[in-house]
Amino acid sequence: MAQTETTELVVVGAGPGGYAAAFDAADRGLAVTLVDESARPGGVCLHRGCIPSKALLHAAKVLTDARDASRWGIGFGPPSIDLAALRGWKTKIVERLTGGLGRLAAQRSVRYVQGRAAFAGPRELAVTPIESGAEVPSRIAFEHAILATGSRPARPGPLALEDARVLDSTAALSLERVPPKLLVVGGGYIGLELGTVYGALGSAVTVVEATSRLLPGADADLGRVIARRFGHLAAAVHLDTTVTELAAGPAGIDVTLDGPSGSAVAERFDAVLVAVGRVPNSGVAGLEGTRVELDPQGYVRVDEGQRTREPSVLAVGDVTGEPLLAHKAFHEARVAVDTITGRDAPSPPRAIPAVVFTDPEVAWCGLTEADALAAGRAVATATFPWGASGRALTLDRPEGITKLVIDPETERILGVGIAGVGAGELIAEGVLAVEQQATASDLASAIHPHPTLSETLTEAADAFFGRSVHLPRPRRPA
Ligand code: NAD
């Protein structure tokens, strides 16, 4: 009969927030138990999110780059795609990473328990094994718990149809087949990333987006860069459009679309990917018996030290609210461990980067121009179009832009936005600039290597001062 175990810290959920908290706490000398329903740590990000999607996006980029190479006189034949091999490659990456995490947990003596956790009170969890007969403790008594249970895809209203051809991101990433006609509902992160994958693999992709533009969370000028290229890859993009009905038929999913004209349109698809946001996994059984509070969207309320209203329980990552990003969870995990070990919480981050791994990538951090406008805050912006970047031209990808959002009084860089190939890597310099409160002058005077895309950051700062030699001379000197 499984027994009650006692630990100093139990972490519920072994995604980026949970495993990072468990490992960091163990490194600080705490006895740690990590509970997750999966056999291996990694959470959504490693098993069925960030990592597998990036593998598939890399494959997609190879396909589109090979196609584009014909513009420079290099021709390849039509690609042959072995889906089973592609799946196998993706799975190997996931197994390598999650296996590595398992070894790192063992090396730190973090007790990994595969089970479903429920709160049996503010200092005790009840654990149900996932596999019958598995030896797991039935109860874990703890001094501190960190809730890191993440989020799951939302399937609101008509999108809740139960049919194997209606996919969420997990099902789409399992890459069972390439549907000839794929409808993607939602033109945000997941819709555009997986739309890019399936478009490159050969699906005719239609995207419907409820708002008036793709990637509505990004500044409009950044969003336009991806919208233009995605527009070429996709069969159709319908903006200001929602799905009012999904009906499963023998020949496909019949979809009723409600567009800006107000008249409903019906179309049949082989598969439908629903990517309209995520909802928190805060329905952990027994949580209602503690003082942990949820906000109206179901996110766990936490303070700046990641404490909930129940003194023994902290929470990190997606379950605590937007942005639902692994790197935000990593950061919060450290803050939670600092809180438990009696250190002061660091000041809140000024810049949590967002990266959409489309082709090209779109990335931003700090204050966006749209946020500044919405808050009534006066900002200056400086933009460098990549058409003037030698490196972008050598990559045949001149469509990008690099943009700085600047405080006109102090000339501090408040935000950075980049749309273009490699934007996800380039934004790191923007994060440092915003976090360190660098000024446009700091960025303009730091020598960047030539010819690289990183120069576009310096050039944008030069443009702010009217001194970019690669742009037409400003009419009025700055
Ligand atoms: P999202 O919020 O990025 O995009 C959802 C989109 O769906 C929005 O543009 C929204 O306007 C639209 N929408 C909502 N309801 C709709 C409807 N009924 N019909 C048509 N359109 C509708 O959400 P997501 O793409 O599902 O991703 C969820 C979250 O996961 C993201 O917000 C992000 O935090 C995280 N994520 C991050 C990455 C990354 O970091 N690269 C990748 C994938 C997911």
Side-chain angles (χ1 to χ4, degrees):
M1 175 61 191
Q3 72 298 355
T4 298
E5 289 184 1
T6 301
T7 188
E8 287 174 288
L9 170 66
V10 67
V11 181
V12 184
Y19 78 71
F23 292 7
D24 189 30
D27 290 348
R28 309 262 183 109
L30 294 183
V32 182
T33 301
L34 178 58
V35 185
D36 195 285
E37 295 182 12
S38 296
R40 287 175 167 194
V44 169
C45 178
L46 273 79
H47 288 284
R48 48 190 181 280
C50 330
I51 297 298
S53 65
K54 263 75 267 176
L56 296 183
L57 278 158
H58 175 64
K61 185 153 189 311
V62 170
L63 287 168
T64 46
D65 280 353
R67 182 200 61 198
D68 291 350
S70 64
R71 289 202 294 257
W72 338 310
I74 297 174
F76 296 96
S80 97
I81 298 167
D82 178 342
L83 267 197
L86 185 54
R87 268 197 306 272
W89 173 65
K90 175 198 67 157
T91 303
K92 243 193 242 157
I93 298 166
V94 171
E95 283 176 354
R96 180 168 172 174
L97 283 170
T98 57
L101 285 180
R103 283 190 292 281
L104 289 175
Q107 188 241 348
R108 289 178 159 85
S109 301
V110 168
R111 165 103 161 95
Y112 189 77
V113 171
Q114 187 187 8
R116 189 167 301 119
F119 279 85
R123 286 185 184 270
E124 193 166 80
L125 287 183
V127 182
T128 313
I130 302 298
E131 286 174 12
S132 60
E135 264 302 302
V136 300
S138 59
R139 300 261 167 167
I140 300 173
F142 59 82
E143 280 173 43
H144 310 278
I146 296 179
L147 204 55
T149 44
S151 63
R152 62 186 185 281
R155 294 280 290 269
L159 303 173
L161 178 72
E162 285 293 332
D163 186 285
R165 295 163 295 179
V166 180
L167 316 171
D168 59 17
S169 53
T170 304
L173 285 168
S174 71
L175 200 68
E176 291 306 324
R177 65 197 187 99
V178 177
K181 263 188 89 182
L182 172 70
L183 175 69
V184 174
V185 188
Y189 281 74
I190 294 176
L192 293 185
E193 288 186 3
L194 291 180
T196 298
V197 168
Y198 277 91
L201 290 175
S203 292
V205 174
T206 295
V207 175
V208 297
E209 163 55 42
T211 70
S212 55
R213 59 192 176 85
L214 295 179
L215 221 50
D219 272 350
D221 46 2
L222 301 179
R224 265 196 298 278
V225 174
I226 180 62
R228 249 182 245 128
R229 184 149 162 124
F230 192 83
H232 292 301
L233 180 77
V237 174
H238 301 300
L239 301 174
D240 295 309
T241 302
T242 54
V243 170
T244 52
E245 196 184 347
L246 291 184
I253 304 288
D254 291 313
V255 182
T256 310
L257 301 175
D258 187 12
S261 66
S263 55
V265 177
E267 198 171 340
R268 178 169 298 163
F269 292 90
D270 300 296
V272 176
L273 165 63
V274 179
V276 296
R278 299 179 66 88
V279 289
N281 292 328
S282 53
V284 179
L287 201 60
E288 65 289 353
T290 70
R291 279 177 278 179
V292 172
E293 278 182 18
L294 306 185
D295 75 8
Q297 282 88 44
Y299 293 111
V300 173
R301 284 191 208 275
V302 289
D303 67 10
E304 69 290 343
Q306 304 301 132
R307 297 177 199 86
T308 70
R309 300 281 158 86
E310 177 62 65
S312 57
V313 181
L314 297 90
V316 301
D318 285 11
V319 77
T320 66
E322 300 270 356
L324 311 182
L325 298 170
H327 45 271
K328 181 209 113 181
F330 286 139
H331 175 80
E332 290 179 350
R334 276 177 179 265
V335 173
V337 174
D338 282 347
T339 299
I340 291 170
T341 53
R343 293 167 197 230
D344 290 340
S347 36
R350 290 191 178 87
I352 300 176
V355 181
V356 188
F357 290 87
T358 40
D359 181 23
E361 293 172 352
V362 184
W364 63 96
C365 71
L367 188 69
T368 65
E369 188 181 7
D371 286 345
L373 275 176
R377 178 169 185 178
V379 289
T381 61
T383 300
F384 185 79
W386 287 21
S389 154
R391 185 65 182 125
L393 292 182
T394 65
L395 297 168
D396 194 19
R397 296 303 296 268
E399 74 273 18
I401 58 168
T402 296
K403 169 182 176 180
L404 305 178
V405 178
I406 298 167
D407 183 324
E409 298 282 316
T410 62
E411 296 184 353
R412 275 193 184 143
I413 297 165
L414 303 173
V416 178
I418 307 175
V421 285
E425 305 290 339
L426 293 170
I427 198 65
E429 184 176 352
V431 174
L432 201 59
V434 175
E435 280 297 343
Q436 298 298 313
Q437 300 185 283
T439 61
S441 165
D442 293 329
L443 200 49
S445 58
I447 299 175
H448 284 60
H450 178 76
T452 65
L453 296 171
S454 71
E455 287 173 293
T456 64
L457 284 148
T458 268
E459 296 264 17
D462 284 339
F464 174 69
F465 295 111
R467 290 189 68 181
S468 173
V469 294
H470 297 111
L471 293 178
R473 189 163 65 180
R475 290 224 179 83
R476 276 180 299 117

